[in-house]
């Protein structure tokens, strides 16, 4: 008994201290062996492209699978993926994709047009419960099938003319449709593998596990340790294997950004998912800094509930918005890494510039508030602002609370809510002012502007304008040219911002630490990573000296 | 003795059943559901998801279906991680939690035992007051305060140790083990001090001293065995407490253990995961308490006799 206790105690002490010994860093070893160590934010929900919905999932799925096209990371233009080429019909409603002649699944099976037909029907099948089914709604009858209005999947506008030719029929010409072809909801999955482990629409099967999963991308799944790491290795059957330069990628669920940054500094990571705000000034000052920031296709804003007083008065909504000094906020609270926003669409989305109808103007804000019946804040009934619990949301809310106090002499109370409670409040419109963010799924103003159509699922403000609805739903899709289409969007967004159902605050920025050895991983508007272009150079590892 | 064990096991059933029932209905009362997301979910999709998880059935029926699954040892599929069962997630999180618990217990026994023995040797002197005051602070200071304080000092200010992780960066297991072990070290310090004081006044200690043994041999050879019995009896519930109570430490230090799954499950409204971990941990606590009672009875004949009568 005593001996056992002694042996166990010694073993424990040894294990405890053994954890302290240092070995070669991940980055040094990775550079030599061509393995990228990638901070990926969180543990993925799963790897089934028709089940998951998050950004960390998309990074892994993009390495394992391939859609019909794949974006160039510099230009974001579609390049051949599972499809070698494609052409549009005269009226731009029919797209014919020609499959890669050498396209192979990781088990050696050919990737055919039939795979895509079967997969898209699966993605749209109502029984699948796919939250991203709507990404395929531009396809003829896709929405009707996904919402159970028709039962026959053969009516959906995707057909295999033969093994190598896929024909897609759209409801209307959709300028951004090709962009959706490298969103994971449009990826092909391996039918035989899925059916071996259960029904096509089953969410619970083991088909995505190591050893089971068959994929068609540049990499294949090698190892998956829950909450620790996911390892992918080169897929020798990939049609463009010669162009792939990495031998593997290790994805880490780096939820704690403080420790992620420290892992980067001790050369355990090549790339971080995020950078702690308070470290940004020091990284900016560094010579040859690994800090990379770029505009990111998303807007941070507040929802204003137009159905509840005092926000049912547009003058109050405008007063609140005009009293916010966005320049000061982004400079002082956000360390200058974000740009102020004055509309919902981020500037430069596919070349589109949103209208700017107002600027910081406390004078005008006071006048509007007085006109609405609260001169100098007199008789102000009070207002509550809700946000989901988070330090950065709190900081911003506190700053705005103070700006409103200073400029308008009104009190706004802050209330943080736990994530699911907050979601519930927002979807039930059980709030006066609520924090909100929107990240674009594809680069097109439509992705932001169709949020505010009457009764849109993500509208959540009570905003309703038949002219706006007509511009977005009827006129813009039928515009003859991109310029005409953007003019219609501009007109719609002007109407939106005149009514101010939302209070735009800033546009997002992506922030990463990228090790100097990593090449071919440029920043872009989608924060999109194309693993095919990445390679590692064997540079000497130096200390990152922070002031 | 067997009757005692069987009786205790029978008593455990209604306790665990009550825990399941309360948890089952409580999580359903919380606003927000497992499928709420930042983007609106269309009703057809939501209905399909609810059907896949049996949420479309009446609540009472769901409850009995859950109990039936549980009787077969099935904790159900996770909501947050489709394709993973709760059994699997618990199995994935348990090793890190158990390892952390073991290290914390080691820290607690070594630091706490040492402090208690040292204090007991010169009662009511500085040698007693200082470690016992530190122990009192240790008992009073919650881990969610101690953890960040240690991180601030050793991780950020001195930069000696990693601020988070588990087995990723050398030395990252030290701060979490210290944080979790600290409160238990404090308890053990007080227990061992009391135990030692009682033993040190016994006749056989006087005998040992009388035959001329040096004081350190009196302590290590004779006093320690008897003095540490209360500590041994405490280890069972302590380990159960360490496993169940590690979620704060796991969250602070980003350890891929059971506790973090537990907290995330609550935030995600992952109904099956919340229930599964609750059932698992409460069963564990009941079992460890029983185990330590048996151990205490085995060490102490008087208790054994008492249990025999019951």
């Amino acid at each position: 008994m005593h001996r056992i206790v002694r042996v166990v105690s010694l073993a424990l002490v040894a294990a405890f201290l053994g954890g302290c010994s240092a070995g070669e860093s991940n980055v040094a070893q990775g550079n030599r062996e061509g393995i990228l160590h990638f901070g990926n934010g969180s543990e993925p929900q799963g790897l089934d492209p028709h089940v998951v919905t998050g950004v960390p999932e998309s990074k892994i799925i993009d390495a394992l699978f391939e859609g019909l096209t794949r974006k160039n990371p510099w230009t974001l233009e579609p390049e051949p993926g599972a499809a070698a080429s494609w052409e549009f019909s005269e009226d731009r409603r029919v797209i014919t994709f020609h499959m890669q002649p050498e396209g192979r699944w990781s088990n050696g099976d050919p990737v055919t047009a039939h795979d895509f037909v079967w997969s898209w029907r699966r993605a749209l099948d109502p029984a699948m419960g796919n939250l991203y089914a709507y990404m395929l709604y531009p396809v003829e009858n896709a929405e009707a099938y996904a919402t159970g209005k028709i039962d026959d999947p053969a009516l959906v506008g995707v057909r295999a003319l033969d093994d190598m030719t896929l024909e897609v029929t759209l409801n209307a010409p959709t300028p951004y449709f090709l962009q959706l072809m490298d969103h994971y909801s449009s990826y092909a999955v391996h039918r035989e593998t899925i059916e071996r482990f259960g029904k096509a629409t089953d969410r619970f099967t083991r088909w995505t596990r190591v050893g089971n999963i068959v994929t068609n991308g540049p990499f294949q799944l090698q190892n998956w340790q829950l909450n620790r790491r996911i390892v992918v290795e080169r897929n020798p059957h990939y049609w463009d294997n010669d162009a792939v330069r990495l031998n593997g990628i290790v994805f880490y669920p780096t939820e704690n950004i403080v420790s992620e940054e420290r892992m980067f500094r001790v050369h355990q990571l090549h790339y971080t998912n995020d950078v702690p705000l308070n470290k940004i000034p020091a990284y900016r000052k560094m010579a040859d800094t690994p800090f990379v920031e770029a505009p990111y296709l998303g807007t941070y804003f507040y929802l204003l509930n137009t159905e509840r007083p005092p926000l049912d008065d547009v003058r109050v909504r405008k007063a609140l918005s005009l009293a916010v000094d966005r320049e000061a906020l982004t400079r002082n609270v956000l360390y200058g890494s974000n740009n102020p926003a004055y509309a919902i669409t981020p500037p430069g989305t596919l070349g589109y510039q949103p209208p700017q109808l107002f600027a910081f103007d406390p004078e005008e804000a006071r006048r509007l508030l007085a006109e609405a019946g609260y001169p100098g804040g007199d008789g102000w009934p009070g207002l509550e602002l809700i946000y989901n619990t988070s330090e950065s949301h709190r900081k911003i809310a506190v700053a705005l609370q103070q700006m409103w106090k200073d400029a308008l002499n009104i009190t706004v109370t802050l209330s943080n809510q736990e994530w699911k409670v907050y979601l519930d409040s927002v979807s039930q419109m059980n709030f006066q002012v609520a924090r909100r963010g929107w990240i674009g799924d594809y680069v097109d103003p439509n992705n932001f502007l169709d949020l505010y159509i009457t009764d849109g699922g993500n509208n959540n403000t009570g905003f309703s304008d038949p002219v706006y609805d007509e511009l977005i739903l009827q006129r813009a899709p039928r515009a003859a040219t991109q310029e005409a289409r953007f003019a219609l969007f501009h007109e719609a967004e002007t109407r939106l911002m005149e009514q101010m159902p939302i209070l735009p605050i800033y546009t997002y920025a992506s922030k990463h630490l990228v090790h100097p050895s990593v090449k071919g991983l440029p920043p872009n508007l989608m924060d999109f990573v194309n693993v095919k272009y990445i390679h590692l150079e064997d540079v000497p590892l130096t200390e990152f000296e922070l002031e | 003795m067997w009757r005692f064990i069987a009786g205790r096991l029978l008593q455990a059933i209604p306790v665990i059943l009550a825990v399941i029932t309360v948890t089952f209905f409580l999580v359903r009362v919380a606003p927000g559901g497992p499928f709420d997301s930042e983007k609106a979910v269309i009703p057809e999709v939501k209905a399909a998801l609810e059907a896949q998880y049996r949420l479309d059935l009446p609540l009472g029926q769901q409850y009995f279906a859950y109990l039936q699954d549980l009787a077969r040892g099935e904790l159900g599929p996770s909501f947050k991680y489709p394709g993973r069962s709760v059994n699997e997630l618990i199995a994935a999180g348990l090793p890190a939690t158990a390892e952390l618990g073991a290290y914390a217990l080691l820290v607690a026994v070594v630091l706490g035992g040492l402090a208690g023995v040292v204090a007991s040797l010169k009662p009511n002197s500085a040698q007693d007051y200082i470690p016992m005051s530190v122990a009192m602070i240790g008992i009073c200071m919650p881990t969610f305060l101690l953890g960040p304080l240690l991180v601030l000092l050793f991780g950020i200010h001195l930069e000696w140790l990693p601020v988070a992780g588990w087995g990723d960066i050398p030395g990252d297991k030290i701060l979490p083990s210290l944080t979790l072990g600290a409160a238990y070290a404090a308890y053990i310090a007080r227990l061992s001090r009391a135990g030692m004081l009682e033993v040190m006044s016994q006749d056989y200690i006087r005998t040992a001293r009388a035959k001329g043994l040096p004081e350190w041999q009196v302590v290590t050879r004779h006093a320690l065995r008897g003095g540490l019995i209360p500590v041994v009896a405490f280890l069972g519930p302590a380990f159960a407490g360490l496993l169940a109570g590690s979620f704060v430490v796991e969250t602070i230090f980003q350890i891929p253990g059971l506790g973090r799954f537990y907290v995330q499950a609550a935030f995600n409204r992952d109904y099956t995961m919340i229930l599964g971990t609750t059932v698992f941990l409460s069963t564990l606590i009941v079992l460890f308490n029983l185990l330590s009672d048996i151990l205490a009875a085995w060490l102490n004949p008087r208790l054994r006799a008492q249990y025999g009568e019951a």
Side-chain angles (χ1 to χ4, degrees), chain A residues 112-123:
Chain A
T112 67
H114 299 287
D115 288 324
F116 276 88
V117 174
W118 187 81
S119 300
W120 285 19
R121 288 175 182 174
R122 176 181 191 254

Side-chain angles (χ1 to χ4, degrees), chain A residues 168-396:
Chain A
V168 177
T169 311
L170 306 179
N171 289 317
T174 310
Y176 53 86
F177 188 73
L178 272 188
Q179 281 194 48
L180 307 181
M181 295 301 94
D182 77 349
H183 187 277
Y184 47 87
S185 54
S186 75
Y187 285 1
V189 286
H190 193 248
R191 178 177 185 171
E192 202 181 294
T193 306
I194 291 175
E195 288 182 338
R196 187 178 325 138
F197 290 95
K199 278 210 316 274
T201 55
D202 233 332
R203 292 170 75 86
F204 308 129
T205 76
R206 301 177 59 86
W207 82 270
T208 54
R209 299 304 174 78
V210 177
N212 301 347
I213 188 169
V214 171
T215 60
N216 69 328
F219 295 90
Q220 56 187 2
L221 187 63
Q222 189 212 335
N223 189 355
W224 183 357
Q225 287 173 278
L226 212 60
N227 259 338
R228 279 183 169 274
R229 57 178 64 84
I230 286 186
V231 185
V232 300
E233 63 186 359
R234 182 184 280 274
N235 171 12
H237 292 287
Y238 180 58
W239 65 272
D240 204 10
N241 185 27
D242 293 343
V244 179
R245 298 176 69 179
L246 289 174
N247 289 320
I249 308 172
V250 187
F251 295 93
Y252 297 87
T254 47
E255 241 157 59
N256 184 331
I257 60 171
V258 176
S259 72
E260 186 189 39
E261 188 267 341
R262 286 189 56 101
M263 281 176 76
F264 179 82
R265 268 207 279 164
V266 295
H267 303 297
Q268 296 298 98
L269 290 176
H270 279 111
Y271 177 92
T272 68
N273 180 57
D274 204 347
V275 184
L277 270 183
N278 58 353
K279 296 272 184 187
I280 290 176
Y283 271 111
R284 281 220 184 96
K285 279 189 212 141
M286 201 187 278
D288 301 322
T289 182
F291 179 64
V292 177
E293 60 184 327
Y296 182 39
L297 187 67
T299 306
Y300 186 102
F301 56 98
Y302 284 164
L303 295 167
L304 305 177
N305 188 339
T306 62
E307 291 174 0
R308 286 199 189 179
L311 296 176
D312 52 350
D313 186 331
V314 65
R315 291 168 298 191
V316 177
R317 300 200 293 269
K318 282 187 167 169
L320 288 177
S321 192
L322 265 58
V324 173
D325 186 350
R326 292 165 177 80
E327 306 279 344
L329 180 86
T330 50
R331 189 174 55 242
N332 302 329
V333 181
L334 302 164
Y335 296 93
S337 53
N338 301 83
N339 290 318
Y342 296 92
I344 182 73
T345 314
T349 303
L350 214 64
Y352 168 84
Q353 295 302 334
Q356 184 181 344
L357 303 184
F358 62 94
F360 173 53
D361 188 350
E363 274 308 311
E364 176 67 5
R366 277 190 285 274
R367 194 189 65 75
L368 282 165
L369 195 71
E371 214 179 280
Y374 312 106
D378 285 347
W380 177 249
L383 194 63
E384 189 189 48
L385 161 62
I386 66 165
Y387 58 95
N388 55 302
T389 309
S390 136
E391 186 53 26
S392 56
H393 299 330
R394 194 188 64 82
K395 272 188 193 161
I396 291 163

Side-chain angles (χ1 to χ4, degrees), chain B residues 9 43 47 67 79 82 112 141 144 151 154 159 167 197 205 210 220 226 238 307:
Chain B
L9 283 176
L67 287 185
F79 286 74
M141 182 153 3
F144 61 77
V151 167
F154 293 104
E159 303 210 0
L197 278 181
I205 297 295
T220 52
Y307 291 152

Side-chain angles (χ1 to χ4, degrees), chain B:
Chain B
M1 194 66 188
W2 291 113
R3 270 183 59 196
F4 160 72
I5 295 175
R8 284 289 298 268
L9 283 176
L10 278 179
Q11 278 172 22
I13 293 173
V15 170
I16 292 173
L17 207 62
V19 168
I20 296 170
T21 311
V22 170
T23 315
F24 187 91
F25 291 100
L26 214 56
V27 293
R28 300 309 176 92
V29 180
F35 305 122
D36 288 341
S37 85
E38 202 161 11
K39 296 187 177 175
V41 182
I42 62 168
E44 290 82 5
V45 166
K46 197 162 179 171
L49 289 171
E50 287 181 343
Q52 288 218 14
Y53 288 91
R54 288 197 308 225
L55 292 186
D56 51 342
L57 302 176
L59 200 57
Q61 218 169 317
Q62 288 179 42
Y63 173 70
F64 287 109
Y66 183 78
L67 287 185
Q68 274 174 18
D69 285 351
L70 196 63
R72 288 199 309 271
E74 292 287 334
L75 297 172
S78 160
F79 286 74
K80 164 79 181 177
Y81 301 104
R84 300 261 178 200
S85 70
V86 173
N87 298 56
E88 202 182 343
L89 291 172
I90 289 179
L94 193 60
T97 300
E99 198 187 348
L100 171 65
Y103 292 155
L105 200 64
L106 184 77
V107 166
V109 170
V110 172
L111 289 187
L114 215 62
V117 171
V118 165
S120 71
L121 294 183
K122 280 197 183 154
N124 303 322
S125 70
Q127 192 183 327
D128 180 19
Y129 291 144
I130 292 171
M132 284 305 108
S133 308
V134 173
M136 203 61 217
I137 294 172
I139 290 173
C140 297
M141 182 153 3
T143 44
F144 61 77
L145 180 62
L146 181 63
L149 279 180
L150 288 177
V151 167
L152 214 57
L153 181 62
F154 293 104
I156 292 168
H157 188 63
L158 296 172
E159 303 210 0
W160 287 354
L161 292 168
V163 295
W166 189 254
D168 296 323
I169 306 175
D172 60 6
K173 293 182 179 176
I174 295 175
L175 285 185
S177 308
L178 273 181
T179 308
L180 185 58
Y184 290 87
Y187 273 113
I188 288 178
R190 297 194 69 83
L191 278 176
S192 54
R193 176 182 177 273
M196 286 295 287
L197 278 181
E198 198 186 321
V199 169
M200 290 300 274
S201 61
Q202 301 278 325
D203 289 342
Y204 70 90
I205 297 295
R206 198 178 312 152
T207 314
R209 282 187 182 138
K211 74 180 184 189
L213 280 181
E215 187 66 16
W216 64 271
Q217 277 202 5
V218 173
V219 172
T220 52
R221 287 237 173 136
H222 299 273
L224 219 47
R225 272 190 197 176
L228 291 186
I229 283 184
V231 175
V232 173
F234 174 67
L235 290 184
F239 192 63
L242 284 170
L243 290 187
S246 67
F247 70 90
V248 175
V249 175
E250 288 180 20
T251 310
I252 296 172
F253 292 99
Q254 301 285 315
I255 296 167
L258 205 52
R260 211 164 119 216
F261 277 133
Y262 199 14
V263 176
Q264 284 175 349
F267 285 142
N268 294 326
R269 303 289 187 274
D270 192 338
Y271 295 149
T272 44
M273 189 68 197
I274 300 173
L275 270 167
T277 22
T278 308
V279 171
F280 179 76
L281 288 175
S282 48
T283 310
L284 217 61
I285 291 172
V286 167
L287 283 182
F288 273 105
N289 279 333
L290 176 61
L291 211 65
S292 79
D293 284 353
I294 295 171
L295 198 70
W298 178 63
L299 285 175
N300 190 335
R302 270 173 295 185
L303 272 179
R304 209 170 355 174
Q306 196 184 326
Y307 291 152
E309 286 157 23

Side-chain angles (χ1 to χ4, degrees), chain A residues 424-496:
Chain A
D424 194 57
S425 303
V426 169
S427 68
Q428 305 291 323
M429 280 183 66
N430 184 16
F431 66 88
Q432 288 177 298
V433 183
R435 181 209 78 85
R436 193 83 157 93
W438 187 262
I439 307 287
D441 296 312
Y442 49 91
V443 192
D444 193 282
N446 185 64
N447 194 210
F448 288 84
L449 294 173
D450 80 349
L451 298 176
Y452 293 100
I453 57 173
T454 302
D455 294 330
N458 295 303
N459 181 321
N460 307 127
T461 58
F463 174 76
S464 169
D465 175 1
V467 179
Y468 183 89
D469 294 351
E470 201 201 329
L471 282 166
I472 300 297
L473 296 176
Q474 307 298 329
R475 294 180 56 195
R478 289 180 177 74
T481 62
Q482 187 77 305
E483 288 74 42
R485 188 164 165 266
F486 280 5
L488 293 167
F489 281 144
H490 198 277
E491 189 184 337
E493 194 159 9
T494 303
R495 293 187 73 91
L496 181 75

